[in-house]
Amino acid sequence: EKLEADEDLEAEQLPLIFPSTLSPELRARCSRGLATKEMALREAKCEDSLLIIKRERRTLVGLSRKYNINIGIGTKASSRNRAVLKTIGDKIARATDTYRACRAALESLEPGGAWAGRYKVLKPGDISGPYREEDVPRAVKDPKERRRRKPNKDYTPSWIWLMPARAGSVTRSDS
């Protein structure tokens, strides 16, 4: 978009231009270290986004198990449950969008850089877990049945659950 000099714009309406949005030729003319600072920002945002996704997935699974949430029932409680689940789903979607945008910016700044081993492409199937999906929807009320169920040894969690926490980041056990 081209901004006219005589337009009255609020600061909030001005677009932010990061080095990752510029061509390599223009990026070379940026202030020294600006691209490096953006990379640090984007890596931190990727880390935060993954932590949010994992936290909200644990919340979703925990609520589903504890309250045996079944969306198919047409009661007032079910409507409330749907609203809670939608809120959690919206948070996961926002964090996913943020992660993907930040990863794309990192790819623009330093294709295949050191960050690429840690921040992989986030596919829809990666946003799962921390347990098998079959275990999520219903809690087993009968204690005997719970003891009979064995965890699926073939289950492999998504890479987001296998990533070690970054030094200095707040994890579930810290909070």
Side-chain angles (χ1 to χ4, degrees):
E1 290 178 44
K2 189 145 186 150
L3 298 175
E4 298 296 325
D6 60 340
E7 286 185 52
D8 288 333
L9 290 176
E10 298 293 324
E12 292 82 12
Q13 295 173 319
L14 293 173
L16 288 178
I17 299 173
F18 286 97
S20 61
T21 62
L22 301 174
S23 68
E25 296 80 35
L26 288 176
R27 194 177 309 142
R29 292 195 275 168
C30 286
S31 298
R32 190 176 333 172
L34 190 58
T36 305
K37 289 175 184 168
E38 183 187 358
M39 284 193 59
L41 169 75
R42 300 299 185 159
E43 285 187 46
K45 289 297 287 178
C46 280
E47 193 73 27
D48 288 348
S49 297
L50 289 175
L51 288 173
I52 290 168
I53 290 168
K54 292 192 303 189
R55 181 184 65 225
E56 296 304 323
R57 282 293 306 170
R58 276 192 297 269
T59 302
L60 183 66
V61 169
L63 286 174
S64 296
R65 284 181 166 196
K66 183 172 182 177
Y67 295 108
N68 200 12
I69 294 175
N70 185 354
I71 295 186
I73 300 173
T75 63
K76 185 176 182 180
S78 179
S79 296
R80 214 174 353 217
N81 290 341
R82 272 195 297 273
V84 169
L85 292 178
K86 182 181 179 332
T87 301
I88 294 170
D90 291 346
K91 288 178 184 178
I92 292 171
R94 276 193 307 272
T96 300
D97 291 344
T98 300
Y99 176 85
R100 288 180 177 145
C102 289
R103 190 183 184 288
L106 286 169
E107 187 69 40
S108 170
L109 291 168
E110 187 182 349
W115 58 269
R118 182 167 180 82
Y119 304 114
K120 300 176 182 165
V121 174
L122 187 60
K123 299 174 187 154
D126 293 330
I127 304 168
S128 63
Y131 311 107
R132 285 185 309 171
E133 293 298 320
E134 305 84 78
D135 291 347
V136 173
R138 298 194 170 274
V140 178
K141 303 243 187 249
D142 181 21
K144 289 180 185 176
E145 178 63 25
R146 249 185 269 149
R147 280 191 294 266
R148 271 185 264 162
R149 283 189 168 201
K150 299 287 184 216
N152 185 355
K153 299 207 184 308
D154 297 332
Y155 173 69
T156 304
S158 168
W159 65 267
I160 65 173
W161 298 101
L162 302 174
M163 251 178 66
R166 199 164 201 136
S169 66
V170 177
T171 61
R172 182 176 177 210
S173 59
D174 295 338
S175 54

